[in-house]
């Protein structure tokens, strides 16, 4: 990747339907890479947009009884709303219906036509509407489209063709000489494989009689331009090709076109040959990522399993969603999306490894240092050095991961630091240092953890900008780091600053009741300190002190209302009263009780559990129940007792 500038693009999305997780993924990935480059001080331009022409959009509009323009305008807003919601920092958003784009497409068409790169001929072949591509009889697989395997339509008509075939040998040589042009390598091989067969000329027109929704050919008004020939041009029209030479010279060639694996041929064969015919330099890298599948199944409207990113964000927040997508997908390969996997990563990595570490640290700084960030101790011990080196190494790993498109590996290095940080606290036991009055060592330990958190918050900022800004506020830091270098050097945390402690950064979540106890309270938050001693019964049960039990506040509660929760067939939402107070709790008891039979029951709840959000509902406590042999019964009170009574 060039060090001087970074121009990154996403595909421009069809506006025939609302955005799904695939669209969100590429755009978040581009955003994260753009944010890292800005942080590295590299001038960055990030382009996204929408593809408004073509048969897909025209057909969707016909179905919705709208004009294609109305259909496009209605859908584009949903993309823009989603990008706002998930904090996408694109520098430009191009729509192919804008004059700045249409003019460039028409100028290109005219130029290529005049230079004999485009010619007219009779066409006889097969057309796939969803892919918007023509195929020869021999290309079909069992009579269907070789790409999507759907039925094709027979077409015979006059059309215009781009002399793509003349660039075949040049393109093969170019790909062979530029190993980073198409990535990952197996996609490069796929394109080279495709180029082993003779390359056909590309049909770049559609007769208006069949498709009116597109850019008119400047030399024949009976035709519109093929949607892909129009769409690919967005990458240069947006940055001023034939309009603003200075802007164009600044950004072209693109550093990175991010695409999904299904649009490899259009980007690695059509687009380079178009650029070659225009005598323009090639983009540096075209990176094809894999697909998100749901569980083991392809996402599809007909299966009804399409993941709506807006729903995910409403439920779990934009940052956790961004984090999951970046951490879970190994760039290039397919990845599986399930809410269970999401909850697992969220609870382990965000709520526990990071969130819990932060709250342990803030509590200790509040208790032992009057809420002021301490000064680092003079001499550094082995443990401190190990944590410092690991943290700085994670910053280096993240910088390399960005260049190598392995964000999952960069994230892995950061998670290892967090786990090390938690272990470090356990080894150094600040509470014992405080008890022994070892002031300077205690200060040094708390500074070390705080400094590690500062670096981690900066490293994760491009992935979770809002949450990391929150974390950085606790540490008395600016919302965002000023430069990546500040994360490669140890010692930036400002001693003497008052920490802004408070809110739990990542409240624990539960996706499905099977992920947690059937009783459906929250899992207990991880222990603040390791258990002292740890004596066990002969059966292996770890015994606790009375003081541990005393931490749990059990109280009687009266169920006032009970109702099901949409799309969560195991959960019920309960409104309960504890004396003068009313609360909502979510319980995984729907398979054992009907809402009606619960109203009026006196139950026992854990009243001092940290709230968790379950299926979008905040659960403010947990009820108790016994479960065995596949059944479950609520714990109730023997005889009369007011609600809200403590249980001891
Ligand atoms: N309009 C064209 C792109 C033109 S670019 C000059 C287009 N649009 S699209 O809306 O159908 O798809 C956009 C992107 O979404 C593609 O990169 C495609 O790979 C990606 N995805 C569609 N489904 C996906 C998943 N299930 N998972 C990940 N990405 C997926 O093609």
């Amino acid at each position: 990747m060039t060090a001087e500038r970074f121009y990154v693009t996403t595909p421009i999305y069809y506006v025939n339907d609302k955005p799904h997780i695939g669209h969100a993924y590429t755009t978040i990935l581009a955003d994260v890479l753009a944010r890292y480059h800005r942080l590295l001080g590299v001038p960055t331009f990030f382009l996204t947009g929408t593809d408004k022409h073509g048969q897909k959009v025209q057909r969707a509009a016909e179905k919705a009884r709208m004009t294609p323009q109305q259909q496009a305008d209605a859908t584009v807003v949903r993309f823009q709303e989603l990008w706002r919601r998930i904090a996408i920092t694109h520098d430009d958003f191009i729509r192919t219906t804008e004059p700045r784009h249409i003019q460039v497409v028409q100028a290109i068409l005219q130029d290529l036509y005049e230079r004999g790169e485009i010619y007219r001929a009779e066409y006889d072949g097969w057309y796939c509407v969803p892919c918007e591509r023509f195929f020869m009889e021999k290309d079909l697989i069992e009579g269907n489209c070789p790409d999507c395997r759907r039925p094709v339509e027979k077409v015979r008509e006059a059309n215009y063709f781009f002399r793509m075939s003349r660039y075949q040998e040049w393109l093969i040589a170019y790909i062979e000489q530029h190993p980073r042009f198409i990535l990952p390598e197996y996609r490069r091989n796929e394109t080279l494989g495709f180029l082993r067969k003779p390359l056909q000329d590309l049909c770049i027109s559609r007769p208006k009689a069949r498709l009116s929704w597109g850019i008119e050919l400047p030399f024949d008004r009976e035709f519109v331009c093929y949607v892909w020939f129009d769409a690919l041009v967005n990458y240069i029209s947006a940055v001023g090709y034939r309009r603003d030479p200075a802007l164009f010279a600044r950004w072209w060639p693109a550093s990175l076109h991010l695409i999904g694996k299904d649009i490899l041929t259009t980007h690695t064969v059509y687009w380079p040959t178009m650029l070659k015919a225009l005598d323009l330099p090639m983009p540096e890298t075209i990176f094809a990522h894999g697909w998100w599948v749901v569980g083991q199944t392809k996402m599809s409207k007909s299966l009804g399993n399409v993941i709506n990113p807006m729903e995910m964000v409403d439920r779990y927040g934009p940052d956790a969603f961004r984090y999951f997508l970046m951490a879970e997908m190994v760039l290039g390969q397919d990845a599986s999306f399930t809410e269970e996997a999401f909850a697992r990563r969220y609870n382990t990595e965000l709520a526990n490894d990071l969130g819990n570490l932060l709250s342990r640290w803030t509590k200790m700084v509040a208790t032992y240092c009057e809420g002021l960030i301490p000064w680092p101790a003079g001499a550094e011990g082995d443990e401190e050095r190990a944590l410092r080196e690991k943290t700085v190494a994670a910053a280096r790993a993240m910088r390399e991961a960005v260049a190598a498109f392995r964000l999952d590996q960069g994230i892995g290095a950061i998670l290892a630091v967090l786990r090390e940080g938690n272990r470090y606290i356990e080894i150094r036991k600040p509470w014992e240092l405080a008890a022994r009055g070892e002031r300077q060592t205690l200060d040094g330990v708390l500074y070390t953890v705080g400094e590690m958190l500062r670096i981690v918050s900066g490293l994760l900022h491009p992935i979770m900008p809002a949450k990391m800004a929150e974390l950085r506020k606790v540490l008395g830091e600016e919302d965002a780091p000023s430069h990546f270098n500040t994360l490669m050097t140890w010692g930036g945390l400002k001693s003497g600053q008052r920490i802004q402690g408070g809110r739990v950064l990542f409240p624990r979540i539960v996706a499905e009741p099977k992920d947690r106890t059937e009783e459906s309270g929250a899992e207990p938050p991880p222990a603040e300190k390791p258990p002292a001693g740890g004596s066990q019964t002969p059966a292996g049960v770890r015994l606790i002190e009375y003081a541990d039990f005393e931490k749990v506040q059990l109280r009687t509660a009266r169920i006032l209302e009970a109702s099901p929760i949409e799309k969560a067939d195991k959960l019920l939402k309960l409104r309960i009263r504890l004396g003068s107070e009313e609360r909502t709790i979510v319980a995984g008891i729907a398979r054992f009780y009907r809402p009606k039979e619960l109203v009026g029951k006196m139950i026992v709840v854990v009243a001092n559990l940290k709230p968790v959000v379950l299926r979008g509902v905040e659960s403010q406590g947990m009820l108790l129940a016994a479960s065995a042999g596949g059944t479950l019964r609520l714990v109730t009170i023997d005889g009369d007792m007011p609600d809200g009574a403590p249980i001891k």
Side-chain angles (χ1 to χ4, degrees):
M1 200 138 313
T2 72
E4 310 87 61
R5 42 168 211 94
F6 182 64
Y7 171 25
V8 59
T9 67
T10 71
I12 49 171
Y13 305 110
Y14 284 129
V15 285
N16 56 333
D17 208 347
K18 57 179 187 268
H20 60 58
I21 191 172
H23 305 130
Y25 173 70
T26 323
T27 313
I28 292 172
L29 176 60
D31 184 64
V32 167
L33 292 173
R35 284 173 183 265
Y36 275 118
H37 280 83
R38 291 187 200 114
L39 194 54
L40 285 158
V42 179
T44 294
F45 192 83
F46 167 16
L47 174 69
T48 189
T50 43
D51 193 350
K52 301 190 133 194
H53 293 128
Q55 206 136 315
K56 264 191 185 173
V57 177
Q58 179 164 311
R59 291 205 171 165
E62 280 161 10
K63 227 167 125 190
R65 293 172 194 279
M66 292 189 208
T67 64
Q69 184 69 53
Q70 285 168 335
Q71 152 80 24
D73 289 347
T75 318
V76 78
V77 193
R78 308 182 77 154
F79 279 88
Q80 287 171 328
E81 248 170 46
L82 178 64
W83 300 161
R84 239 193 324 276
R85 189 76 209 286
I86 58 178
I88 299 300
T89 55
H90 48 282
D91 296 288
D92 200 350
F93 186 100
I94 189 157
R95 309 164 183 221
T96 50
T97 42
E98 287 177 68
R100 64 168 171 159
H101 176 73
I102 295 173
Q103 279 157 15
V104 173
V105 172
Q106 288 186 325
I108 288 175
L109 287 166
Q110 187 67 37
D111 176 18
L112 294 179
Y113 183 62
E114 283 169 14
R115 290 200 281 117
E117 295 277 351
I118 288 176
Y119 64 93
R120 184 185 165 105
E122 197 70 25
Y123 182 80
D124 194 356
W126 296 93
Y127 186 63
C128 174
V129 177
C131 296
E132 312 215 19
R133 286 177 63 192
F134 282 105
F135 296 98
M136 315 269 284
E137 180 97 38
K138 67 175 175 49
D139 297 327
L140 303 182
I141 295 179
E142 290 167 6
N144 291 327
C145 169
D147 271 3
C148 71
R149 308 293 161 95
R150 279 178 276 209
V152 285
E153 291 174 8
K154 178 91 176 146
V155 177
R156 183 185 168 76
E157 60 197 19
N159 261 313
Y160 287 87
F161 292 83
F162 165 51
R163 290 192 195 279
M164 190 160 74
S165 60
R166 63 159 62 146
Y167 297 107
Q168 178 162 13
E169 291 314 312
W170 164 82
L171 182 57
I172 294 171
Y174 189 88
I175 296 172
E176 281 173 349
Q177 284 155 19
H178 296 83
R180 280 181 66 86
F181 182 48
I182 304 170
L183 288 175
E185 203 183 337
Y186 47 90
R187 298 287 171 219
R188 177 170 174 257
N189 294 337
E190 201 176 310
T191 301
L192 285 170
F194 176 85
L195 288 168
R196 255 180 240 125
K197 287 182 282 176
L199 190 59
Q200 309 293 318
D201 285 346
L202 180 66
C203 178
I204 56 103
S205 65
R206 300 292 180 263
K208 274 193 189 166
R210 193 150 62 78
L211 174 76
S212 56
W213 180 234
I215 298 179
E216 200 170 77
L217 297 191
F219 44 82
D220 190 337
R221 314 205 117 196
E222 294 305 307
F223 291 85
V224 293
C225 179
Y226 168 43
V227 65
W228 270 102
F229 201 86
D230 151 7
L232 288 160
V233 169
N234 91 88
Y235 300 136
I236 52 177
S237 64
V239 289
Y241 181 58
R242 292 182 187 233
R243 176 172 51 87
D244 184 340
L247 183 71
F248 189 61
R250 172 135 179 73
W251 297 112
W252 192 258
S255 319
L256 177 63
H257 289 322
L258 283 173
I259 59 166
K261 63 179 182 181
D262 56 317
I263 53 175
L264 185 71
T265 312
T266 49
H267 279 81
T268 60
V269 178
Y270 299 3
W271 182 224
T273 54
M274 287 165 69
L275 288 168
K276 181 70 182 158
L278 292 168
D279 203 19
L280 286 174
M282 297 300 124
E284 214 165 313
T285 296
I286 300 162
F287 193 103
H289 64 70
W291 270 37
W292 283 95
V293 295
V294 179
Q296 303 300 317
T297 324
K298 197 177 159 187
M299 224 171 53
S300 88
K301 254 198 202 166
S302 49
L303 289 175
N305 64 350
V306 176
I307 305 280
N308 178 344
M310 209 46 140
E311 271 174 26
M312 286 293 125
V313 170
D314 284 344
R315 214 173 290 157
Y316 304 117
D319 284 51
F321 182 63
R322 287 171 64 106
Y323 174 81
F324 178 78
L325 295 192
M326 293 303 103
E328 187 73 8
M329 188 178 260
V330 175
L331 253 181
Q333 296 170 18
D334 287 351
S336 162
F337 188 96
T338 60
E339 285 200 60
E340 291 85 350
F342 185 99
R344 210 170 314 127
R345 242 184 211 285
Y346 178 103
N347 284 337
T348 321
E349 295 166 9
L350 298 181
N352 195 23
D353 293 349
L354 176 55
N356 190 43
L357 178 64
L358 174 69
S359 54
R360 290 174 88 177
W361 181 78
T362 40
K363 267 180 219 148
M364 290 189 284
V365 173
T367 316
Y368 306 132
C369 311
E370 291 160 4
L372 302 178
I373 294 178
W375 270 262
E380 183 186 65
D382 287 350
E383 292 295 339
E384 286 69 32
R385 185 170 50 254
L387 188 57
R388 170 172 63 76
E389 284 174 357
K390 198 156 190 159
T391 309
V392 176
R396 262 199 313 276
M398 188 42 115
R399 199 177 53 179
E400 281 157 22
V402 168
F405 308 108
R406 287 304 305 263
L407 289 175
D408 59 306
Q409 284 182 345
I411 292 172
I414 296 170
L415 289 174
V417 167
L418 289 169
R419 282 191 292 269
E420 189 63 25
N422 278 301
R423 201 183 68 91
Y424 172 76
I425 292 183
E426 249 116 81
I427 290 174
R428 298 302 258 138
K429 298 187 176 54
W431 49 94
E432 287 185 6
L433 295 173
R436 291 202 298 270
E438 293 180 33
R439 184 75 248 169
Q440 218 196 351
T441 316
L442 174 63
D443 280 359
V445 168
L446 292 181
Y447 184 88
T448 302
V449 176
E451 172 60 354
M452 180 270 262
L453 283 168
R454 177 190 72 82
I455 292 181
V456 165
S457 70
L459 292 178
L460 290 177
H461 188 272
I463 299 173
M464 296 186 283
K467 287 288 179 185
M468 290 308 100
E470 238 182 87
L471 197 170
R472 294 172 62 80
K473 207 184 203 108
V474 176
L475 304 173
E477 294 287 315
E478 297 288 320
D479 277 6
S482 57
H483 194 282
F484 201 90
N485 288 346
T486 62
L487 310 173
M488 312 261 311
T489 352
W490 185 264
L493 187 67
K494 297 186 233 31
S495 304
Q497 291 240 90
R498 180 160 296 284
I499 56 160
Q500 314 287 320
R503 260 165 43 85
V504 174
L505 202 57
F506 295 104
R508 295 175 74 80
I509 56 163
V510 173
E512 292 289 343
K514 65 175 175 285
D515 263 3
R516 45 188 289 151
T517 52
E518 287 287 346
E519 298 76 21
S520 185
E523 282 174 38
E528 284 293 297
K529 275 193 234 167
S535 66
Q536 296 197 338
T537 64
V541 175
R542 204 176 68 213
L543 297 177
I544 58 169
E545 302 291 337
Y546 181 73
D548 289 324
F549 170 69
E550 224 184 11
K551 285 188 199 150
V552 182
Q553 251 188 49
L554 297 174
R555 288 166 71 188
T556 58
R558 178 81 63 194
I559 300 179
L560 304 176
E561 291 163 26
S563 54
I565 295 181
E566 219 183 307
K567 292 199 199 130
D569 53 3
K570 294 181 184 164
L571 300 180
L572 289 181
K573 178 171 144 184
L574 307 179
R575 191 78 194 146
I576 55 169
R577 191 179 60 210
L578 300 86
S580 57
E581 191 193 344
E582 274 187 27
R583 294 190 189 186
T584 299
I585 61 171
V586 176
I589 56 173
R591 283 190 289 135
F592 310 101
Y593 288 94
R594 272 193 289 274
K596 265 203 309 233
E597 46 179 323
L598 289 167
V599 176
K601 265 196 194 316
M602 179 73 88
I603 56 170
V604 174
V605 296
V606 179
N608 62 340
L609 206 55
K610 279 185 192 159
V612 285
V613 177
L614 303 170
R615 293 291 175 147
V617 181
E618 191 182 73
S619 183
Q620 301 150 332
M622 175 177 88
L623 57 71
L624 297 189
S627 109
T631 189
L632 174 146
R633 294 284 92 192
L634 292 174
V635 172
T636 55
I637 294 293
D638 175 28
D640 271 341
M641 186 53 71
D643 51 74
I647 296 170
K648 293 194 169 149

